[in-house]
Amino acid sequence: MERRSFLTRAWKTGAGFLAGAGAWTSWDLLRPRNAAGFNAKIRTVSPDTVPANTVLEIPEARAYLTKINDEIVALSEVCSHLGCRVPFCDSSGQFECPCHGSFFNRAGDLQGGPAPRGMDRFKIEIVDGVIEIDTAERESGAPPGTVTINEPPRGPPCTEGGHGA
Ligand code: FES
C-alpha cells in the first residue's frame, strides 16, 4: 500500500513538472518580443545625415532613408513583387531587385519588371533631433506610371537586366 501511494504521488509530481515545462515553453515561444525591425519604432540618424543623391540603409528597420524633393522618406527594402530584399545600385542610382528584375528609381517609383507598384514607405517622425522609422505604419508604394522624381539611370546596372539593359 505504501509503495502504491508513493508511485501515485511520484506520477502526479512528474505530470505536474511536465505540464509546467510545457506551459513555460509555449509562453516563451509565443510571448511578444521587442522586435528590432517589425512593428517597432526604430531610432536612426539625424536628418542632416540623410543624403539627397543616394540612400542610407537602415538594416534594423529593413529600410532606406533618402531625400526626395527636400523631404525625407523611408523606403521599405522588401520588394513589392514577392518580397525579396531590393539593394540600391550605386552605379545606376536605382534599386534593382535581384529576384525577378523589377527596378525602381531612388524615390521608389516602379521603372520596370513584374512588381505591381513602387516600393512601400514607412512613416517617419523626428524625435529629439533623430529620425524614427515606424515599421508598423507602412504605406503601399505608388502605382505604376507614378513619376515622383526625374532621375534616369546614371550608369550601368548592378544586375543583369537592371533598368532594362
Ligand atoms: S521579388 Fe522583386 S521582382 Fe520579384
Side-chain angles (χ1 to χ4, degrees):
M1 202 59 184
E2 271 183 29
R3 185 167 177 252
R4 176 176 286 174
S5 169
F6 171 78
L7 288 174
T8 302
R9 199 170 291 169
W11 168 249
K12 285 181 179 173
T13 304
F17 274 124
L18 273 178
W24 168 261
T25 303
S26 300
W27 182 82
D28 195 44
L29 283 173
L30 300 175
R31 73 190 158 112
R33 310 209 180 241
N34 279 342
F38 300 107
N39 300 322
K41 290 185 177 179
I42 311 292
R43 283 179 70 74
T44 63
V45 295
S46 146
D48 306 341
T49 60
V50 178
N53 60 353
T54 184
V55 302
L56 179 66
E57 185 175 11
I58 309 293
E60 311 91 288
R62 300 178 69 188
Y64 298 98
L65 288 172
T66 190
K67 267 188 195 141
I68 303 296
N69 302 328
D70 290 331
E71 182 194 347
I72 295 171
V73 298
L75 297 167
S76 167
E77 69 176 23
V78 177
C79 185
S80 57
H81 181 222
L82 292 178
C84 289
R85 179 186 167 271
V86 187
F88 186 75
C89 172
D90 282 322
S91 61
S92 69
Q94 309 260 305
F95 292 97
E96 298 173 8
C97 184
C99 291
H100 311 103
S102 289
F103 52 105
F104 309 83
N105 66 15
R106 193 173 52 82
D109 299 332
L110 179 65
Q111 303 294 289
R117 62 180 189 276
M119 295 167 72
D120 294 348
R121 292 184 178 200
F122 292 121
K123 186 178 161 204
I124 61 162
E125 204 176 342
I126 313 291
V127 179
D128 298 328
V130 171
I131 302 164
E132 263 187 20
I133 300 177
D134 188 346
T135 59
E137 294 285 333
R138 177 192 293 259
E139 180 187 314
S140 282
T146 301
V147 182
T148 307
I149 52 170
N150 181 18
E151 281 185 19
R154 59 188 175 210
C158 295
T159 57
E160 230 176 90
H163 65 73

